[in-house]
Amino acid sequence: MVSKITSTTILKTIIVFNKQQVQFPLHCTNGTPAATCPAYYPTKFELDDASSTTSCPDYFRWIHEDLKPWESTGITRDMVEGAKNMSHFRLVVVNGKAYIEKYSKSFQTRDVFTIWGILQLLRLYPGKIPDLELMFSCGDKTMVNKRTFQGPQAMSPPPLFHYCGDENSYDIVFPDWTFWGWAELSIRPWETTLQNLQEGNKIVKWEDRIPYAFWKGNPAVSIIRKELSKCNTSDEHDWNARIYGVQWKQEKVKKFQDTKLEDQCTYKYKIYAEGATWSVSEKYIIACDSMTMFIEPRYYDFFTRSMVPLQHYWPISVKNMCEEIKYAVDWGNANLDSAQAIGKGGTDYIIDNLKMKFVYDYMFHLLNSYAKLLRFKPTIPEGAVEFCPESMACNLRGQRKHYLVESMVMSPSNIPPCSMPPPYTTETLKEFLQKKENIIKQVKTRAVKKEQ
């Protein structure tokens, strides 16, 4: 059932990063989109005299790394066009307005909610997103393979924006659609979902939680998840894991009553297992106060690369997965304070670093840095259409419209974007990655001490 949208609901979401000021809600005419996008919204971003900037979270440093392939060459129009056959849509921003040229249908409404998020960024910082042109893939798999663009005769890789990356790809990582809601699975926008998870964390105190490792999801989408299912308790083994498969078609019939994220924070330990590639479930799992186990992720999203093993999560190797899960739970149950600290470390990382203000600031800095690399003047393609909140939301009904309106930015920010951290030097990046590798090796050799 869709809950009623009120001005209080909207303000509760927006006020997180905006002082109360003049609001600019959706302008619908008899529930239908206007023939042209209305021009009621401010076009300039103005700050209070007393406004001050904060430092961005450390993971913003990865923006420099993601754009490094084009640091010396810049980005030409040919390079952008080279990503067209991998893309679901082209985004063009000219004079603060967004134009979209669609190429293929994305899974469910990933493209809709991604584009909506970009429109909210333009509303949050009007006039501060430069003219740009980019290609975006809404699929699971990484697309720009590094091996294709290596060697003395290799061409420069095409810049492609995507939800995840890995060490073998040049995909430019961007926040995924679920920050503005996942209507098909009845998962509300991130700001509301995080609040609900924090409330869910209070239902069972950590010391009273079930002392096993919990995972719930669709096991059919990856080999790792199928292997994880073998770690479930049986007559022959108890690997300290409690694994629950989900059939989403059946859950939809039950109106998702058994898959509410805030009801899944009752175990001391939770497991993150990748799907086809990375999984949007990651942020929900980490935010539960439980000690989260990462099963050797191959892929990363925009915020996880700065997380540290045994500080924010417990690493699990794919090899001997069941034995490693059992060891982690046994270790945690023998060192409850340390296990609880790891769980809290992960949740605090999410709460402190993944506020919607920072999600938008990441988008802001990524797009500004990308635009500086462009070596051509962005132009509106003949097949592109201007997108605005009215053209996207006015003709919708039900849950989709509810989530779009709930996640809508109602007024320009009076707080500036956070201040970007400096890029890694070759040495500092090497040291950071080596530190993580050493800790993971320590876990694999079962040499973890209580004091972490």
Side-chain angles (χ1 to χ4, degrees):
M1 181 178 178
V2 176
S3 58
K4 185 179 178 182
I5 301 171
T6 65
S7 58
T8 307
T9 307
I10 294 165
L11 265 180
K12 186 177 180 184
T13 304
I14 304 307
I15 218 74
V16 170
F17 50 83
N18 253 357
K19 296 176 184 176
Q20 192 166 359
Q21 57 191 65
V22 178
Q23 304 284 298
F24 298 89
L26 199 65
H27 276 208
C28 296
T29 307
N30 298 324
T32 59
T36 58
C37 289
Y40 65 91
Y41 200 81
T43 57
K44 290 185 178 179
F45 169 64
E46 297 179 0
L47 297 174
D48 293 343
D49 292 338
S51 63
S52 61
T53 188
T54 57
S55 296
C56 299
D58 192 67
Y59 65 80
F60 279 56
R61 301 174 83 176
W62 293 96
I63 290 174
H64 303 290
E65 298 302 313
D66 285 350
L67 296 178
K68 192 169 279 187
W70 304 276
E71 187 177 57
S72 60
T73 62
I75 296 172
T76 65
R77 176 168 292 285
D78 284 346
M79 291 179 191
V80 173
E81 296 299 332
K84 184 175 179 178
N85 65 349
M86 310 175 189
S87 304
H88 287 87
F89 66 84
R90 179 199 305 259
L91 165 70
V92 180
V93 175
V94 173
N95 296 328
K97 295 181 179 180
Y99 302 85
I100 301 293
E101 185 177 31
K102 291 196 176 183
Y103 300 125
S104 60
K105 180 174 170 50
S106 72
F107 180 65
Q108 296 180 340
T109 50
R110 291 184 181 189
D111 56 346
V112 172
F113 281 85
T114 300
I115 293 167
W116 180 262
I118 293 166
L119 295 183
Q120 304 321 301
L121 174 67
L122 296 177
R123 288 169 67 90
L124 187 64
Y125 297 126
K128 293 298 181 182
I129 305 301
D131 289 4
L132 57 83
E133 202 165 327
L134 62 84
M135 299 290 185
F136 204 106
S137 170
C138 301
D140 286 324
K141 296 187 181 300
T142 51
M143 301 299 291
V144 188
N145 193 309
K146 284 183 178 179
R147 284 181 297 179
T148 308
F149 304 96
Q150 290 176 342
Q153 303 300 318
M155 297 186 302
S156 295
L160 178 69
F161 284 70
H162 187 210
Y163 305 126
C164 72
D166 68 356
E167 64 179 17
N168 299 316
S169 71
Y170 285 124
D171 295 39
I172 301 169
V173 186
F174 195 84
D176 70 73
W177 74 98
T178 61
F179 285 96
W180 298 275
W182 192 354
E184 289 83 1
L185 297 191
S186 200
I187 296 175
R188 294 176 72 179
W190 171 240
E191 202 78 57
T192 306
T193 298
L194 181 58
Q195 291 170 5
N196 291 342
L197 282 166
Q198 289 179 268
E199 290 302 310
N201 282 339
K202 300 174 185 176
I203 295 173
V204 181
K205 292 181 180 180
W206 197 89
E207 55 268 26
D208 297 327
R209 293 187 180 188
I210 302 166
Y212 296 107
F214 171 87
W215 182 82
K216 190 170 192 173
N218 181 1
V221 295
S222 70
I223 294 173
I224 285 178
R225 290 186 177 186
K226 288 174 183 174
E227 289 300 308
L228 175 62
S229 299
K230 298 175 183 177
C231 301
N232 216 347
T233 183
S234 66
D235 293 337
E236 296 178 7
H237 295 286
D238 187 349
W239 301 112
N240 291 337
R242 300 297 182 262
I243 311 300
Y244 299 90
V246 170
Q247 300 295 328
W248 287 113
K249 288 183 179 179
Q250 295 176 14
E251 296 304 326
K252 185 177 180 180
V253 172
K254 295 186 286 184
K255 297 183 178 180
F256 303 101
Q257 287 302 309
D258 296 335
T259 53
K260 290 182 179 179
L261 298 170
E262 61 268 26
D263 294 340
Q264 296 179 34
C265 298
T266 57
Y267 284 73
K268 283 188 167 74
Y269 314 95
K270 293 195 73 173
I271 298 169
Y272 168 68
E274 291 184 331
T277 52
W278 109 114
S279 169
V280 299
S281 65
E282 192 168 27
K283 57 186 175 291
Y284 309 127
I285 292 169
I286 301 168
C288 254
D289 274 350
S290 308
M291 186 179 92
T292 302
M293 301 177 192
F294 282 10
I295 301 179
E296 207 166 345
R298 173 183 165 185
Y299 300 90
Y300 51 76
D301 54 26
F302 74 101
F303 67 89
T304 49
R305 283 174 282 183
S306 290
M307 297 183 75
V308 178
L310 301 190
Q311 183 178 333
H312 303 121
Y313 65 94
W314 182 284
I316 297 289
S317 175
V318 172
K319 188 179 180 181
N320 302 319
M321 185 191 306
C322 300
E323 290 90 338
E324 292 219 355
I325 291 171
K326 185 179 189 315
Y327 168 68
V329 173
D330 286 342
W331 182 93
N333 288 338
N335 301 282
L336 290 173
D337 290 346
S338 297
Q340 185 176 8
I342 295 171
K344 186 177 186 302
T347 298
D348 286 350
Y349 182 94
I350 296 295
I351 292 171
D352 295 341
N353 299 318
L354 211 56
K355 300 176 174 69
M356 275 309 297
K357 172 67 165 63
F358 285 144
V359 176
Y360 284 123
D361 285 0
Y362 189 93
M363 295 160 64
F364 174 90
H365 285 298
L366 175 57
L367 293 182
N368 269 274
S369 299
Y370 170 83
K372 288 175 183 176
L373 294 171
L374 297 182
R375 298 294 180 261
F376 63 94
K377 181 178 174 60
T379 55
I380 304 165
E382 192 175 325
V385 177
E386 182 182 355
F387 272 53
C388 60
E390 284 72 22
S391 68
M392 291 194 72
C394 284
N395 63 340
L396 293 179
R397 295 288 182 272
Q399 196 120 278
R400 290 182 189 179
K401 184 169 185 174
H402 177 80
Y403 289 172
L404 293 181
V405 174
E406 183 179 324
S407 61
M408 187 170 170
V409 169
M410 292 293 177
S411 57
S413 177
N414 48 25
I415 303 169
C418 61
S419 178
M420 272 281 280
Y424 284 108
T425 65
T426 303
E427 193 57 37
T428 55
L429 180 56
K430 184 179 178 181
E431 286 175 4
F432 176 68
L433 296 176
Q434 188 63 54
K435 175 187 174 183
K436 292 177 72 169
E437 191 176 316
N438 291 343
I439 297 172
I440 291 170
K441 185 177 180 180
Q442 184 184 351
V443 174
K444 283 183 177 179
T445 57
R446 304 197 176 181
V448 184
K449 298 178 181 178
K450 179 179 178 181
E451 298 80 13
Q452 294 297 331

